[in-house]
Amino acid sequence: MWRARNLLLAAGAVGLLVVTFGVASAAGTPSPTGTLSPNERLGKAIFFDENLSLNRNLACASCHGAAVGFTGPISEINQHGAVYEGSVAGAFGNRKPPSNAYTTMSPILHVDKTGAWVGGNFWDGRATGEKLGNPAADQAQGPFLNPKEQALPDSACVVYRVFNAGYGVDFEHVWGAGSRSIAWPSDVETSCSLPNGTVTLSTQDRAKADVAYDRIALSIAAYEASAEVNTFSSKYDAASTGEAKLTALEQRGLTLFEGKAGCTACHPLLPTGDALFTDFTYDNLGVPQNPENPAVLRDPTYVDYGLGGYLKGAGYPAAVYEPEMGKLKVPTLRNVDLRPSAGFVKAYGANGYFKSLEAIVHFYNTRDVLARCPGPYTEAEALKANCWPAPEVAANVNTVQLGNLGLSPSDEAAIVAYLKTLSDGYGPATIDTTAPSVTAPAATLRTGVSLSGAAIPLRLAWTGTDAGGSGIARYELARSTDGGTWTTVSSSLTAPYADVPVPSSGTVRFRVRAVDRAANTGAWVTGQTLTPRLFEQSSTSVTYAGTWSTTTGSAYSGSSATYAKAAGASASYTFTGRSIALVTTKAPTRGTVKVYVNGTYVATVDLYATTTKYRALAWQKTWSTSGTRTVKLVVVGTSGRPRVDLDAFAVLK
């Protein structure tokens, strides 16, 4: 439904006030350079967590890589369609990933005094910021539930997986005691693994889950607003403060950027530096359709109408949306050339049509000068034929500020040289000489996976901080078994966690260190000595009540398992350690089991799965310190599938 401009602005303002009152204590303000607040650390952990997708294979960072300025991190994809595959194989959206660096400053979507739409997030502005008072936070909620992206079926699934992720920073530490107190149904794991699953919650718990989902988005936005993401550490920044000097070619490019080329009309500079290089408006540049876009390959008639398409779908009248058809968000130019190697291909434009800065600058200069290509040429074909294809959307093309700039080839080269000064991480010898730091890796037993032989799957998590400001590029992880020599687990981790199997014998330690974008290497930090053990169901430490039977087979840990079908049958195990996991069988015929620790109910676990999964780690709990505890399993006796298997317990001492 159409809303007058003053109502739109009022809604945005009210949303901001509500969020300010509700979350200011946790969200706070962006951290100073090189440090992350607990909220920012939580947001970072969520941002890098692949488990927050239907098939546990896609994180925010999978499409927004730090090494390329938080946009598409895979050269081969950028070189063609530039649209990234979702969690579900074969699922593609219709646009390339925008950068989520330097974007949290975007205001709530509104119409300014000149009549121009300003703010919001996503290429089409649909993350308006009205819901959470922050377009970046509104945007963060979109991919989790988009079937073409992370594809989780219910926002409660995101909440459940975050609550059970074992990050290095606790959700309740950020958002307050009781913020995780939701009674999850026994089939939540199953529901969240199905494309059309729904988590059944009480009215009260659904309201809590909705609040938690909003807080998850706000934490992501807090990380995206942090000094780790927005480092303002380019050569341009250094030149603005007198710490560097532009070359003659770069200076000429800057002069053209501000003058003849007219770039600052949409990518303004600031006299004090710290420019964002975007005015957060929308424009139709006349970019051709990308013939390799998966959306076009699915449907050759597909057209991206951008902001106008969003406004039309949102119910605005034709008088409002028609002038906006084909307009897309003006992106920041910061990190426009940031790439891990010289041969790495970056894509430009919302549909990724352009593959180089040289090409897109040439397009801005000559769009209305060169001949029209006779068909849907790729960028390479158009450059070879010295022509440009027709705009994807012919209406509302900006013919005032680009298309025939009258620049010479050397002018174009100078502008490209200047644009390359906008990449963060400039001058490691003079700008960032401070080594990054990490916290000790903390270990938890994993769930959602199965034992491989006698190896016990762990998740190691830590937090990293780069006080120098260039940002952490990677982590190195090493292990020592039984006090022996340190060996490398990985030297190229981009997320602050790793999943590692360990043997059920001896002891193991892990250590981690960080390397920042300026190539500074931090000190190793070693975690606690871990004693992983696997206790079979036949152990004398396990006591049974009710009727339990034994089944044998090589698929089980230790070649045997016990099982019960009668409601009330129980198995108890007393152990000493800091983490424990239930090893069982998940299958279409398996039921539910209630779990108690020291006599207190802690969870109901549904062992249903569409296919049989032996030696599955179905439940785990971790404590901050080691101690002696008793876990009791009580069979529920689920109708139609009452059976519960006990295969083993995995324990971390």
Side-chain angles (χ1 to χ4, degrees):
M1 180 179 292
W2 162 247
R3 295 166 292 177
R5 185 188 308 170
N6 61 337
L7 292 180
L8 176 68
L9 293 172
V14 170
L16 182 58
L17 288 173
V18 169
V19 172
T20 300
F21 278 107
V23 304
S25 62
T29 56
S31 62
T33 300
T35 63
L36 289 180
S37 70
N39 192 31
E40 291 164 353
R41 294 204 315 271
L42 175 62
K44 180 178 181 178
I46 295 169
F47 187 87
F48 283 95
D49 191 352
E50 291 184 345
N51 288 305
L52 303 181
S53 59
L54 183 68
N55 293 315
R56 299 181 183 272
N57 60 347
L58 194 75
C60 303
S62 301
C63 300
H64 301 276
V68 290
F70 290 91
T71 184
I74 301 176
S75 180
E76 292 77 9
I77 294 175
N78 300 338
Q79 193 166 9
H80 298 286
V83 178
Y84 282 63
E85 190 174 30
S87 179
V88 177
F92 291 89
N94 52 12
R95 300 182 181 119
K96 88 173 191 74
S99 171
N100 42 22
Y102 300 101
T103 58
T104 54
M105 302 79 167
S106 182
I108 292 173
L109 183 67
H110 66 281
V111 180
D112 71 8
K113 61 184 179 181
T114 70
W117 287 88
V118 181
N121 214 316
F122 284 124
W123 285 108
D124 60 5
R126 69 186 186 275
T128 65
E130 292 182 58
K131 179 182 179 184
L132 299 176
N134 183 336
D138 281 15
Q139 182 276 330
Q141 291 188 332
F144 288 129
L145 305 182
N146 187 331
K148 295 179 180 179
E149 297 186 66
Q150 286 161 282
L152 284 168
D154 189 322
S155 60
C157 296
V158 183
V159 176
Y160 176 77
R161 291 189 179 182
V162 167
F163 284 5
N164 290 276
Y167 300 139
V169 58
D170 185 69
F171 191 89
E172 287 191 342
H173 176 68
V174 173
W175 292 105
S179 56
R180 293 180 51 172
S181 60
I182 294 174
W184 297 103
S186 60
D187 63 349
V188 61
E189 286 278 7
T190 300
S191 298
C192 292
S193 66
L194 300 173
N196 298 313
T198 300
V199 179
T200 303
L201 295 170
S202 68
T203 301
Q204 182 181 19
D205 283 325
R206 174 58 68 173
K208 290 180 180 179
D210 289 344
V211 170
Y213 188 54
D214 289 347
R215 288 170 168 172
I216 286 168
L218 288 163
S219 291
I220 294 172
Y223 171 61
E224 292 176 343
S226 72
E228 181 173 302
V229 176
N230 313 291
T231 65
F232 292 95
S233 60
S234 68
K235 185 177 183 180
Y236 159 80
D237 295 299
S240 298
T241 58
E243 298 177 78
K245 185 176 180 179
L246 299 182
T247 66
L249 185 63
E250 293 163 350
Q251 184 61 53
R252 180 185 170 200
L254 171 57
T255 300
L256 290 163
F257 187 93
E258 294 182 291
K260 185 176 182 179
C263 305
T264 53
C266 299
H267 303 282
L269 300 178
L270 294 174
T272 56
D274 290 350
L276 299 177
F277 290 91
T278 176
D279 59 3
F280 301 113
T281 61
Y282 295 79
D283 210 347
N284 182 357
L285 306 178
V287 174
Q289 186 181 71
N290 182 352
E292 296 182 292
N293 184 336
V296 176
L297 296 176
R298 287 194 306 268
D299 177 10
T301 66
Y302 167 80
V303 174
D304 186 351
Y305 289 105
L307 174 64
Y310 160 67
L311 294 174
K312 182 178 180 180
Y316 287 83
V320 174
Y321 68 73
E322 285 182 350
E324 312 305 324
M325 285 295 188
K327 293 185 180 180
L328 294 151
K329 187 82 175 286
V330 174
T332 178
L333 295 182
R334 283 188 173 271
N335 293 323
V336 71
D337 189 59
L338 183 65
R339 63 191 77 214
S341 62
F344 184 95
V345 175
K346 295 191 75 169
Y348 302 101
N351 63 10
Y353 180 83
F354 300 101
K355 311 303 179 184
S356 70
L357 287 176
E358 289 79 4
I360 193 169
V361 170
H362 186 56
F363 174 81
Y364 273 53
N365 183 33
T366 64
R367 182 197 64 200
D368 301 337
V369 176
L370 300 184
R372 182 76 76 215
C373 297
Y377 283 22
T378 64
E379 178 219 56
E381 292 168 337
L383 291 172
K384 183 177 180 180
N386 200 31
C387 63
W388 292 117
E392 181 166 6
V393 178
N396 309 311
V397 172
N398 184 341
T399 58
V400 176
Q401 294 163 317
L402 71 157
N404 184 6
L405 300 179
L407 302 174
S408 68
S410 63
D411 289 339
E412 291 183 9
I415 292 173
V416 169
Y418 172 67
L419 292 175
K420 292 183 177 183
T421 71
L422 305 182
S423 298
D424 285 332
Y426 168 76
T430 57
I431 303 301
D432 179 6
T433 59
T434 303
S437 61
V438 295
T439 59
T444 57
L445 293 161
R446 293 182 64 196
T447 58
V449 295
S450 296
L451 295 178
S452 177
I456 298 175
L458 301 184
R459 167 158 289 193
L460 302 166
W462 57 89
T463 58
T465 302
D466 183 38
S470 64
I472 292 175
R474 59 187 174 87
Y475 298 97
E476 298 178 354
L477 181 68
R479 68 189 289 169
S480 168
T481 302
D482 295 331
T485 303
W486 289 98
T487 59
T488 299
V489 176
S490 176
S491 59
S492 58
L493 296 168
T494 57
Y497 64 85
D499 295 326
V500 181
V502 294
S504 176
S505 60
T507 62
V508 63
R509 290 184 299 161
F510 291 92
R511 66 181 187 180
V512 66
R513 66 181 179 182
V515 180
D516 66 20
R517 293 175 186 161
N520 298 304
T521 301
W524 288 108
V525 178
T526 304
Q528 295 176 310
T529 298
L530 306 174
T531 305
R533 292 292 184 269
L534 193 63
F535 293 91
E536 305 295 343
Q537 44 76 28
S538 56
S539 168
T540 56
S541 299
V542 182
T543 59
Y544 296 93
T547 301
W548 289 79
S549 302
T550 300
T551 183
T552 59
S554 59
Y556 299 108
S557 176
S559 298
S560 68
T562 55
Y563 68 91
K565 298 181 179 180
S570 65
S572 299
Y573 172 60
T574 300
F575 71 100
T576 299
R578 63 171 66 94
S579 187
I580 187 170
L582 168 64
V583 183
T584 183
T585 302
K586 301 186 73 173
T589 57
R590 299 308 192 265
T592 53
V593 60
K594 291 186 176 180
V595 184
Y596 297 79
V597 176
N598 292 341
T600 300
Y601 167 80
V602 294
T604 299
V605 182
D606 191 349
L607 304 180
Y608 172 86
T610 54
T611 58
T612 301
K613 300 175 182 178
Y614 294 103
R615 295 183 288 184
L617 282 78
W619 167 86
Q620 77 88 27
K621 188 169 179 61
T622 300
W623 294 266
S624 58
T625 59
S626 182
T628 300
R629 301 170 175 95
T630 298
V631 171
K632 183 178 181 180
L633 309 177
V634 179
V635 177
V636 173
T638 309
S639 177
R641 49 183 183 95
R643 176 169 164 170
V644 170
D645 290 15
L646 173 57
D647 198 342
F649 289 101
V651 174
L652 271 185
K653 296 184 177 180

